[in-house]
């Protein structure tokens, strides 16, 4: 089975007035079913809960933005999943809801629990529909938007491809409103097109093209093909994945030739969860950044900061204080401090659990 993740953005599912576009939603369900019939295993990462809540509930003006988001999400998530359930039920297909938070990717145990849950759903013929649990997520620990969440899900589930559906055709080589601008069809691992990326955010989403570009580059570097396309184009998913219609405008991020291991994927996506830092000397930094695989040994460590346990994510800082790597610690912070500069001890971070940035 060809496993893919499809991210459906708020701007794809909403009309100009912010209400849910059920016709578009129905079309995307039809397209997802077509993919399933063609041998694809599909995971949906769907926005739209807040928009659903906003369209059916009036709120008191005294509520702040966080309270409104929580209220709209709590009410709207039920409506959103009800719509998906009814639409997929027409084809006899079951769906399952997966609500998650950024913190749920922070520990290996929770990471694996989420992966196991979705694996069981997929093996049982159930389509997982994933969304952030906005009712309990707090601002500083929220995903940038569902682009970030979809990238984490794609790497966690070893997907072959991530399709990010937005309300634009892809990444342009100029302002999309300029008739002279064109969609960039392919972006390779070493191509830098950041000069073309605008910082404006899209109408009903939290992120923008800058977020999509950053997530796409990172996910592609981990071996997953990423496509950004316009979810409001008719038949966009079958055209991209079944018919392979090259005339349909879209931007593809070519994946790195060699993907990373499951545990390195987890480490790579855990930047926000480092429980401490280890500073290393120039020689250790040179070894880690060299072409030969190497673990971080205590002999190269000069300082340990923070309070962490064995198995926690920690950051590795070079002599200038710049973070150059993340890894899963084999030591507690107390043990790490006691081992600073010592020879002939087990690695503080084994190579298999180390991600060089």
């Amino acid at each position: 089975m060809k496993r893919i993740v499809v991210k459906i953005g708020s701007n794809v599912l909403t009309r100009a007035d912010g209400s849910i576009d059920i016709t578009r939603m129905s079309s995307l369900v039809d397209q997802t079913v077509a993919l399933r019939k063609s041998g694809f295993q599909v995971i949906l990462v769907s926005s739209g809960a807040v928009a659903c809540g906003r369209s059916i509930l009036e709120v008191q003006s005294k509520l702040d933005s966080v309270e409104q988001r929580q209220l709209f999400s709590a009410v709207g998530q039920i409506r959103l999943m009800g719509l998906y359930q009814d639409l997929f039920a027409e084809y006899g297909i079951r769906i399952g809801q997966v609500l998650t938070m950024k913190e749920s990717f922070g520990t290996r145990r929770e990471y694996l629990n989420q992966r196991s849950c979705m694996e069981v759903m997929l093996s049982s013929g159930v389509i997982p529909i994933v969304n952030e649990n906005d009712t309990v997520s707090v601002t500083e620990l929220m995903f940038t938007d569902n682009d970030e969440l979809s990238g984490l899900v794609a790497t966690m589930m070893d997907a072959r491809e991530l399709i990010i559906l937005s309300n634009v055709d892809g990444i342009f080589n100029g302002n999309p409103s300029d008739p002279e601008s064109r969609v960039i069809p392919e972006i390779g691992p070493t191509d830098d097109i950041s000069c073309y990326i605008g910082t404006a955010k899209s109408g009903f989403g939290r992120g923008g093209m800058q977020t999509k570009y950053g997530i796409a580059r990172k996910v592609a570097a981990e071996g997953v093909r990423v496509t950004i396309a316009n979810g409001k184009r008719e038949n966009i998913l079958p055209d991209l994945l079944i018919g392979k219609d090259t005339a349909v405008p879209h931007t593809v991020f070519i994946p790195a030739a060699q993907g990373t291991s499951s545990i390195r994927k987890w480490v790579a996506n855990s930047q926000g969860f480092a429980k401490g830092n280890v500073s290393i000397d120039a020689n250790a930094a040179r070894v880690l950044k060299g072409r030969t695989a190497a673990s971080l040994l205590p002999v190269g460590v000069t300082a340990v900061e923070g309070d962490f346990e064995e198995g926690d994510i920690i950051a590795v800082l070079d002599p200038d204080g710049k973070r150059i790597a993340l890894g899963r610690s084999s030591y507690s912070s107390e043990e790490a401090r006691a081992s600073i500069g010592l020879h002939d001890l087990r690695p503080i971070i084994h190579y298999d659990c180390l991600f060089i940035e």
Side-chain angles (χ1 to χ4, degrees):
M1 296 288 282
K2 296 165 282 189
R3 181 175 295 176
I4 64 169
V5 174
V6 177
K7 183 263 181 176
I8 305 173
S10 295
N11 285 283
V12 175
L13 291 181
T14 53
R15 298 187 180 94
D17 63 0
S19 62
I20 287 292
D21 186 343
I22 298 178
T23 302
R24 176 61 50 203
M25 197 171 178
S26 177
S27 172
L28 289 167
V29 168
D30 294 342
Q31 294 175 52
T32 301
V33 173
L35 295 183
R36 291 240 310 185
K37 290 179 178 178
S38 295
F40 288 89
Q41 230 178 27
V42 184
I43 301 170
L44 296 180
V45 176
S46 178
S47 304
V50 173
C52 275
R54 188 185 290 115
S55 67
I56 62 178
L57 188 67
E58 293 185 7
V59 300
Q60 301 173 356
S61 58
K62 67 179 182 179
L63 294 178
D64 64 28
S65 59
V66 173
E67 290 171 331
Q68 287 190 33
R69 174 175 53 79
Q70 290 175 318
L71 178 59
F72 288 146
S73 176
V75 174
Q77 186 67 28
I78 297 173
R79 171 68 170 154
L80 180 70
M81 294 304 293
L83 289 170
Y84 274 123
Q85 180 168 312
D86 290 345
L87 291 168
F88 277 110
E90 294 179 11
Y91 294 97
I93 295 175
R94 298 289 184 181
I95 63 167
Q97 175 179 257
V98 179
L99 291 177
T100 188
M101 299 184 296
K102 200 166 187 175
E103 302 98 297
S104 300
F105 291 84
T107 68
R108 184 67 174 163
R109 176 179 294 178
E110 289 184 86
Y111 183 89
L112 293 176
N113 282 344
Q114 289 186 104
R115 188 172 74 178
S116 176
C117 172
M118 283 188 255
E119 288 285 3
V120 169
M121 293 167 73
L122 290 168
S123 65
S124 302
V126 175
I127 294 180
I129 300 182
V130 189
N131 198 2
E132 181 172 15
N133 191 349
D134 282 325
T135 59
V136 295
S137 294
V138 293
T139 303
E140 61 270 21
L141 291 177
M142 289 171 63
F143 295 105
T144 306
D145 72 349
N146 273 351
D147 295 320
E148 182 181 7
L149 173 56
S150 67
L152 288 168
V153 171
T155 55
M156 179 177 73
M157 299 304 296
D158 295 322
R160 175 182 294 187
E161 185 162 356
L162 167 62
I163 309 288
I164 298 177
L165 295 182
S166 183
N167 60 344
V168 294
D169 289 327
I171 296 180
F172 286 76
N173 61 1
N175 190 318
S177 62
D178 184 345
E180 297 298 318
S181 295
R182 296 289 181 268
V183 172
I184 301 171
E186 283 190 358
I187 298 173
T190 60
D191 295 338
D192 182 7
I193 55 104
S194 56
C195 59
Y196 298 128
I197 308 300
T199 58
K201 294 184 179 180
S202 52
F204 296 102
R206 290 202 302 267
M209 192 53 72
Q210 190 172 51
T211 301
K212 290 175 176 57
Y213 174 67
I215 295 298
R217 286 209 72 108
K218 183 174 182 180
V219 174
E222 293 169 25
V224 180
R225 178 184 171 95
V226 183
T227 299
I228 299 175
N230 192 334
K232 295 200 171 187
R233 283 186 175 271
E234 294 302 322
N235 216 44
I236 184 66
L237 292 174
D239 282 348
L240 289 174
L241 295 164
I242 301 174
K244 299 293 185 181
D245 187 348
T246 56
V248 176
H250 61 282
T251 298
V252 172
F253 288 76
I254 305 301
Q258 184 174 0
T260 55
S261 67
S262 173
I263 194 165
R264 278 214 199 97
K265 287 179 181 178
W266 169 62
V267 172
N269 288 290
S270 299
Q271 295 96 326
F273 305 108
K275 299 292 182 64
N277 301 324
V278 291
S279 298
I280 60 176
D281 59 31
N283 184 57
R286 186 167 52 254
V287 170
L288 289 186
K289 295 171 74 173
R291 295 191 176 186
T292 304
S295 300
L296 176 60
L297 301 174
V299 66
V301 175
T302 58
V304 175
E305 298 176 272
D307 184 15
F308 53 88
E309 300 296 329
E310 179 182 348
D312 284 343
I313 295 294
I314 57 175
V316 180
L317 310 181
D318 69 11
D320 297 323
K322 178 184 176 183
R323 190 178 75 188
I324 61 170
L326 288 166
R328 185 184 188 188
S329 178
S330 301
Y331 288 66
S332 68
S333 52
E334 183 178 349
E335 292 171 331
R337 289 188 184 94
S339 69
I340 291 176
L342 299 181
H343 292 265
D344 301 323
L345 296 178
R346 73 183 191 279
I348 286 186
I349 304 175
H350 190 275
Y351 170 73
D352 289 339
C353 305
L354 182 67
F355 178 75
I356 307 297
E357 296 187 308

